[in-house]
Structures are given as C-alpha cells and as structure tokens.
Amino acid sequence: MDVSLVDVAPNPSEPLGRYIQRVRDSNRLTQLELSIKAGIHVQTIRKIESGGTSRLSQKGKSGLAAALGIPQEYLDAVVKQTPIEATGALKFCPKCWTPGTTLDPMWTSLRSKYCFACGTTLRDRCGSCNEPIMSLKFKFCPYCGESYKQT
C-alpha cells in the first residue's frame, strides 16, 4: 500500500470515475496495471473512469479495493454518494499479514473483528504504543519503531 487511507478517502459528491482515477494515480498505476491487479478488463476501467458507469459488481468492487489498497466501504460510499463512516478501516491480522502486500478485503470490512483464517484479533493500532496505524507502507511503527508483524 503506497498511500495512507486518509489521502485516498472519497470526497463528498466525488464521481466514481474521478475517484478511481485519483486513487489509481496516487498509487502510480496505469489503467492496464490496475485492470491486471484487480482482475477486471481494462475496458471496464476505462468505462468507469470516463463516467460511462456509476455502478460496480461485487467482483469489480472487491478487485478494485484490493488492487488500490482501499476498503470496499470507500467504493460503496462513492457509488451511493454517501459520506464514509468514521472507522479504523485500516485493520490487519498481525500474524497473517505479510509486510509489503495489500490487506485482505475481509480484514477492512466494518464488521470484521477477528482474522477469518487464524482467529487473531485484528489490529488498527500499534501493539506497543497504541498509536493509530495510518499507513502500512512500512512494517514498523513511525512513533515507537516496533514491528507491526507479530512473531
């Protein structure tokens, strides 16, 4: 994940196409690279970004969220033109997460509290200093230097 979730939160009344393009640009991805990472056709990306559609299938939504490193709730908020709920959406399993990889979309769901694979409590704060985790670009907490990964 290259950018923090604060940087890619949807703006009020931002169209879906503009939002996808903004987040894609912040991740320095081309339309083709995004389509490959998301597992959807490049023409679909072009159609979304040009404003040709304002809806997403479940497969498209989950693929785009994973490829862009954002919670699916952000895409839901943009499609429905509603504000996002204040949440610690940047949650991960300290045992299963591999630093440098994107978060599993199931972890970032508002309802997720535990890892679906191992049952560990999901973390949205540093385990050492309890500061909120704003980005997983790095594998260490910028406040105390402790690793986010549990050994």
Side-chain angles (χ1 to χ4, degrees), residues 35-47:
S35 74
I36 292 168
K37 283 181 79 171
I40 56 179
H41 199 277
V42 70
Q43 283 300 106
T44 303
I45 302 294
R46 290 183 183 136
K47 184 176 179 183

Side-chain angles (χ1 to χ4, degrees), residues 55-97:
R55 296 183 299 162
L56 293 173
S57 67
Q58 184 59 42
K59 178 186 177 212
K61 183 171 50 172
S62 63
L64 284 170
L68 295 170
I70 58 174
Q72 288 186 32
E73 286 80 7
Y74 282 16
L75 294 172
D76 287 334
V78 172
V79 167
K80 295 174 185 172
Q81 292 289 295
T82 59
I84 58 169
E85 296 178 29
T87 180
L90 186 58
K91 297 182 290 190
F92 68 99
C93 175
K95 289 185 178 178
C96 297
W97 175 66

Side-chain angles (χ1 to χ4, degrees), residues 1 3 5 7 16 27 31 41 47 65 68 73-74 83 95 100 111 123 126-127 130 133 138 147 151:
M1 179 180 288
V3 293
L5 287 178
D7 296 335
L16 177 63
N27 281 304
Q31 288 180 337
H41 199 277
K47 184 176 179 183
L68 295 170
E73 286 80 7
Y74 282 16
K95 289 185 178 178
R111 296 181 300 224
R123 183 179 289 169
C126 174
N130 207 33
I133 297 170
F138 307 106
S147 174
T151 55

Side-chain angles (χ1 to χ4, degrees), residues 89-126:
L90 186 58
K91 297 182 290 190
F92 68 99
C93 175
K95 289 185 178 178
C96 297
W97 175 66
T98 304
T101 62
T102 57
L103 299 177
D104 191 298
M106 291 184 85
W107 293 336
T108 58
S109 170
L110 292 173
R111 296 181 300 224
S112 294
K113 306 256 187 277
Y114 302 96
C115 179
F116 60 92
C118 72
T120 301
T121 301
L122 297 178
R123 183 179 289 169
D124 65 349
R125 298 183 166 273
C126 174

